[in-house]
Amino acid sequence: MAADEPNPPDSRTTPLAPLPDHRNVGERWWQELWRRHTHITTPLRARGLPCDIEFGMSAYIVRVSLPDDSYLTISPPQEPPSERRPGDPEGWIVTREVPDIVMQYEVLYDSVPCDDPGASPRPEARHGGSAEPLLAAIDHRLAQLGLLPAPATPHASAHPAPGRSASPAQDAPGTPERGAAYVYGDAMRELTDRLNGAESHADAAALLHQILEPTDGLLTQLGEFFEAAGEKAKEAEEDDGFDLSYDLADAAAEIRQLGEALHVAEDRMRALTPLPPPPRAAPARASSLPPASPPAAPTIRRTR
């Protein structure tokens, strides 16, 4: 959980809300569930909202504590339960409950696909399991209620705001000032060059961390990029736009699966034993053969 400490030493301007404080936090199974939901929990914690992972009726849910002692439940489908992996459901349901008031129950967001052909489709259903519209709906409602401790920041958003770079080094590609058409590819090429020149496995593991870190690493952000591209394709409201959105969503899921498959690669790289230095070359031995005799001087014949 070191990668998700409340106040990591990076450029965040808003400290994260503290991690949960219970015995499950130290359990590997809970840490894995937490990792699968960081695209939801980290932005909310950056808004000052404490989060936890609990078991609902038939699946794990995100519980968000609010300043007025009410709470949000961010849940995948429960009845029937989702058959997809935790953290990547086909849709989300967000409710707000006030424990001290009977029947105080509000649905803030519902993007679960509707199976009833006679029911009117909900606007949120087209977003499916995407995190960005879910977070936007939470922001909107909590701001109305005055329950949003901190505004969203670029670091808190699951997707960078349109027209805003994720960091000063990531300006729009192709600008004359930079003189490069593929600044993101160049940055990745530089990282690869650093890996090739790494002097130790620990240095190589640190570079792997830049790729595999589950919250801000390159793979996670690449998955978010393809998911956002899929949502953008849907805006065309054409058949090919929807087909393209499904292809991009599949790409995002595959990238996330790749990150899950490689989540221990950094530790494995760091634990590798360095190669022993090559043996020194033995000094050349002096030849036991006698030195070659100098060639005999040619015989000079005198002629009369």
Side-chain angles (χ1 to χ4, degrees), residues 42-66:
T42 299
L44 292 174
R45 291 174 61 214
R47 290 154 167 79
L49 300 172
C51 301
D52 201 354
I53 304 293
E54 301 177 354
F55 193 78
M57 293 187 295
S58 60
Y60 285 96
I61 64 173
V62 177
R63 181 185 173 104
V64 185
S65 300
L66 300 178

Side-chain angles (χ1 to χ4, degrees), residues 198-257:
E199 298 181 354
S200 69
H201 291 98
D203 291 342
L207 295 172
L208 276 177
H209 180 79
Q210 295 292 321
I211 307 298
L212 302 176
E213 199 281 323
T215 303
D216 298 315
L218 186 143
L219 275 185
T220 296
Q221 298 306 315
L222 190 59
E224 297 288 349
F225 175 85
F226 279 110
E227 184 175 293
E231 294 300 322
K232 180 60 64 175
K234 289 180 182 178
E235 294 178 3
E237 297 184 356
E238 300 174 8
D239 291 342
D240 190 54
F242 282 95
D243 291 342
L244 176 59
S245 71
Y246 296 143
D247 292 340
L248 293 168
D250 289 343
E254 291 176 4
I255 290 170
R256 291 193 180 101
Q257 291 173 6

Side-chain angles (χ1 to χ4, degrees), residues 20-39:
D21 183 17
H22 52 71
R23 62 182 183 180
N24 290 336
V25 172
E27 299 292 335
R28 188 174 182 85
W29 63 267
W30 190 91
Q31 293 177 4
E32 176 64 16
L33 283 170
W34 180 266
R35 186 183 69 82
R36 290 175 180 270
H37 290 83
T38 51
H39 61 300

Side-chain angles (χ1 to χ4, degrees), residues 34-279:
W34 180 266
R35 186 183 69 82
R36 290 175 180 270
H37 290 83
T38 51
H39 61 300
I40 300 292
T41 59
T42 299
L44 292 174
R45 291 174 61 214
R47 290 154 167 79
L49 300 172
C51 301
D52 201 354
I53 304 293
E54 301 177 354
F55 193 78
M57 293 187 295
S58 60
Y60 285 96
I61 64 173
V62 177
R63 181 185 173 104
V64 185
S65 300
L66 300 178
D68 66 345
D69 294 330
S70 63
Y71 62 89
L72 300 180
T73 297
I74 305 175
S75 168
Q78 298 274 339
E79 293 181 349
S82 174
E83 296 181 356
R84 300 178 62 169
R85 294 185 177 187
D88 185 30
E90 56 269 61
W92 295 102
I93 303 172
V94 182
T95 60
R96 174 175 173 259
E97 299 181 45
V98 182
D100 295 336
I101 302 178
V102 180
M103 299 302 292
Q104 183 70 38
Y105 181 88
E106 176 187 7
V107 178
L108 275 65
Y109 182 83
D110 186 354
S111 65
V112 175
C114 182
D115 295 331
D116 185 359
S120 300
R122 294 182 297 273
E124 300 96 336
R126 66 188 181 94
H127 298 306
S130 179
E132 182 179 21
L134 177 149
L135 295 170
I138 292 176
D139 281 345
H140 178 71
R141 182 55 180 152
L142 294 188
Q144 288 180 331
L145 297 171
L147 297 177
L148 196 61
T153 66
H155 291 287
S157 177
H159 305 292
R164 177 179 296 179
S165 299
S167 68
Q170 293 180 338
D171 297 329
T175 55
E177 293 80 4
R178 299 192 64 90
Y182 301 101
V183 292
Y184 307 109
D186 290 343
M188 191 64 211
R189 187 176 296 108
E190 180 184 355
L191 194 64
T192 303
D193 290 342
R194 291 174 59 188
L195 180 61
N196 288 331
E199 298 181 354
S200 69
H201 291 98
D203 291 342
L207 295 172
L208 276 177
H209 180 79
Q210 295 292 321
I211 307 298
L212 302 176
E213 199 281 323
T215 303
D216 298 315
L218 186 143
L219 275 185
T220 296
Q221 298 306 315
L222 190 59
E224 297 288 349
F225 175 85
F226 279 110
E227 184 175 293
E231 294 300 322
K232 180 60 64 175
K234 289 180 182 178
E235 294 178 3
E237 297 184 356
E238 300 174 8
D239 291 342
D240 190 54
F242 282 95
D243 291 342
L244 176 59
S245 71
Y246 296 143
D247 292 340
L248 293 168
D250 289 343
E254 291 176 4
I255 290 170
R256 291 193 180 101
Q257 291 173 6
L258 179 60
E260 293 168 3
L262 295 176
H263 73 282
V264 295
E266 177 187 344
D267 294 336
R268 293 173 63 188
M269 176 68 78
R270 185 173 287 106
L272 292 177
T273 303
L275 294 174

